[in-house]
Amino acid sequence: MEWHQMISFNIPPYLGTEFKYVKDAIEVKRKISGDGSYTKLCHCWLENNFSAQKALLTTSGTSALEMAAILSEIRPGDEVILPSYTFSTTATAFVLVGAKLVFVDIRPDTMNIDETIIEKAITRSTKAIVAVHYAGVSCEMDTILDIANRHNLIVVEDAAQGVMASYKEKALGTIGDFGCYSFHETKNYSMGEGGAILIKDPKNNDRAEIIREKGTNRQRFLRGQVDKYTWEEYGSSYLPSDINAAYLWGQLERAEEINSNRLQAWNTYYEKLSRLREKKLIELPIVPEYCKHNAHMFYIKCKNLAERSRLITYLKDRQISSAFHYIPLHSSPAGKRYGRFFGDDIYTTSESNRLLRLPMYFGIKEADILEVVSAIYSFYNISN
Ligand SMILES: *Cc1c(COP(=O)(O)O)cnc(C)c1O
């Protein structure tokens, strides 16, 4: 085999326009702290494009989740239902406010929380449900909202991977009470480190602004609604620098282009790997008809953990990086301390052991995708 450069697993999105906006923020706007003109452009863009009542940039997806946990008014001892197959901070945000975590199993088709188990996991202490849209493929939100309405629970969407994806025409992040986006460099749109919180009910807007701005009502002061600003309640510093927002702006204004480029790469993987699925050697992602995904990730499922480990090594030997994903939180030291698993772990551990993510990023070359595909065919001893 010919030597080629390593095919990266991820390369952060960069269009080339970002630098111009960053320079403008620094040299022309002379505003590099939070809530400058680029932050405002990003807020408007998110609100307009996703029909969101309110969007606020944050310093990370994690800080958006923390804001959601604080806004949910969860008290120590309250329970939060979430999947175990997720990133650590889906959980830590709620641990911060003293919640007990109740993990439930996932569906094997989408790797999302199994909505049919949620209701059985509800107790008198349950306060919220966290829906994590894995790989930008939506959870079954109608069922989740129906359960939440009947039991008076808050719904937080961890849509860190779901920017530009939708459920029945509604943008992910705008369906629950709070939606949390990540603009980390591994996500579809990036500002290095950053995120956003989307808020459904306008009654939460003031508190969200206060919590985001060190517990002060500075935003109301800047709008002339109060004549001095003061410490109102608990808060932290969740607003990002306008330098980062300027970088993000370069990507949001061309979000369609990024999205269609990623979808094209995703579809190429899907088509080219279909024969291996037909031969039942691997499984491919399943996207239910009710959702439009955003090609955040392309994964395959191997037969088992041992086969996946062999495939990772096989690809690495051929200069291709691939990656498994979450170690289920309920089996982690902190997960055991802060939570419990409700019901049986039928799919969480077994499906996560089989899942392997392939190189996927904005601008990935078709030739590289074909290289990855052909390496997988040769691993399974099938000609492609
Ligand atoms: C990336 C991610 C986060 C955290 O986002 P950061 O911006 O890195 O803090 C949380 N949840 C999920 C599901 C993620 O993929």
Side-chain angles (χ1 to χ4, degrees):
M1 174 185 270
E2 245 179 90
W3 183 86
H4 64 76
Q5 219 187 341
M6 194 81 194
I7 299 178
S8 308
F9 176 69
N10 177 60
I11 296 176
Y14 180 62
L15 295 159
T17 50
E18 295 88 339
F19 201 61
K20 172 179 85 188
Y21 297 131
V22 168
K23 194 167 160 24
D24 180 62
I26 297 168
E27 291 182 355
V28 182
K29 302 286 186 329
R30 308 302 296 261
K31 168 82 181 167
I32 59 171
S33 64
D35 284 333
S37 57
Y38 286 102
T39 304
K40 291 194 176 104
L41 278 172
C42 293
H43 289 172
C44 285
W45 191 95
L46 293 168
E47 286 164 9
N48 294 336
N49 285 272
F50 300 149
S51 302
Q53 184 273 134
K54 184 84 178 164
L56 295 169
L57 291 190
T58 58
T59 47
S60 62
T62 299
S63 50
L65 285 160
E66 291 182 8
M67 282 186 65
I70 297 164
L71 285 161
S72 298
E73 300 193 296
I74 289 165
R75 305 272 171 251
D78 288 347
E79 291 181 354
V80 172
I81 295 172
L82 74 167
S84 169
Y85 186 69
T86 184
F87 189 61
S88 59
T89 59
T90 314
T92 57
F94 294 91
V95 170
L96 179 75
V97 291
K100 285 195 203 142
L101 309 172
V102 178
F103 299 112
V104 302
D105 210 4
I106 52 169
R107 297 164 42 148
D109 58 349
T110 58
M111 304 298 284
N112 285 334
I113 192 166
D114 184 341
E115 70 280 359
T116 66
I117 304 174
I118 295 171
E119 195 151 22
K120 299 179 204 125
I122 294 173
T123 70
R124 283 169 56 197
S125 303
T126 307
K127 193 74 192 272
I129 303 167
V130 189
V132 182
H133 305 298
Y134 187 69
V137 174
S138 174
C139 297
E140 191 16 285
M141 293 308 290
D142 281 350
T143 308
I144 293 173
L145 288 192
D146 173 58
I147 295 167
N149 287 337
R150 284 188 287 104
H151 295 270
N152 197 23
L153 306 177
I154 285 159
V155 175
V156 176
E157 293 178 77
D158 181 341
Q161 303 174 12
V163 181
M164 290 287 277
S166 60
Y167 169 82
K168 298 184 181 173
E169 309 296 321
K170 288 188 203 118
L172 300 191
T174 65
I175 304 164
D177 297 281
F178 304 106
C180 304
Y181 287 162
S182 169
F183 298 119
H184 185 260
E185 72 165 34
T186 52
K187 301 304 199 291
N188 292 25
Y189 309 91
S190 182
M191 53 199 278
E193 301 278 354
I197 183 168
L198 307 189
I199 298 162
K200 187 144 118 192
D201 189 334
K203 80 168 196 288
N204 287 311
N205 290 359
D206 273 0
R207 270 195 81 217
E209 285 179 350
I210 289 167
I211 290 162
R212 179 168 167 268
E213 227 180 297
K214 295 98 174 170
T216 70
N217 59 355
R218 185 159 179 275
Q219 289 303 318
R220 304 199 68 195
F221 170 72
L222 292 175
R223 285 195 296 263
Q225 292 163 317
V226 287
D227 61 5
K228 56 181 184 305
Y229 87 87
T230 176
W231 182 27
E232 293 272 313
E233 68 157 295
Y234 173 80
S236 188
S237 182
Y238 290 127
L239 72 170
S241 160
D242 217 49
I243 298 176
N244 295 71
Y247 190 98
L248 179 65
W249 175 244
Q251 307 202 350
L252 290 185
E253 68 168 0
R254 285 167 67 184
E256 281 297 345
E257 180 185 332
I258 295 176
N259 197 44
S260 59
N261 179 278
R262 294 187 76 108
L263 284 167
Q264 199 176 351
W266 197 98
N267 291 334
T268 304
Y269 270 128
Y270 193 90
E271 283 158 28
K272 301 287 177 191
L273 290 169
S274 287
R275 221 152 42 80
L276 288 178
R277 187 201 44 191
E278 285 153 20
K279 290 183 182 297
K280 305 215 182 304
L281 291 165
I282 61 169
E283 286 167 42
L284 296 180
I286 293 168
V287 181
E289 37 71 38
Y290 53 74
C291 49
K292 235 188 240 144
H293 73 106
N294 59 359
H296 172 64
M297 179 192 301
F298 194 90
Y299 65 77
I300 63 171
K301 284 184 187 166
C302 303
K303 196 166 76 219
N304 53 36
L305 178 62
E307 186 183 273
R308 183 184 72 180
S309 304
R310 285 198 304 276
L311 179 54
I312 291 173
T313 307
Y314 187 89
L315 293 174
K316 194 164 164 238
D317 289 345
R318 281 152 191 79
Q319 307 288 322
I320 296 164
S321 355
S322 60
F324 54 85
H325 214 179
Y326 310 126
I327 308 296
L329 297 183
H330 75 283
S331 58
S332 68
K336 285 180 189 151
R337 197 161 344 128
Y338 296 116
R340 61 183 167 88
F341 197 93
F342 171 85
D344 297 322
D345 170 9
I346 299 171
Y347 296 115
T348 299
T349 301
S350 61
E351 295 299 297
S352 64
N353 278 340
R354 304 199 293 130
L355 184 144
L356 183 66
R357 296 177 294 156
L358 303 179
M360 180 71 183
Y361 49 87
F362 170 69
I364 187 171
K365 293 196 199 81
E366 165 140 305
D368 286 350
I369 295 174
L370 299 180
E371 183 90 37
V372 176
V373 167
S374 88
I376 297 172
Y377 272 88
S378 74
F379 175 80
Y380 285 102
N381 274 313
I382 304 283
S383 61
N384 72 320

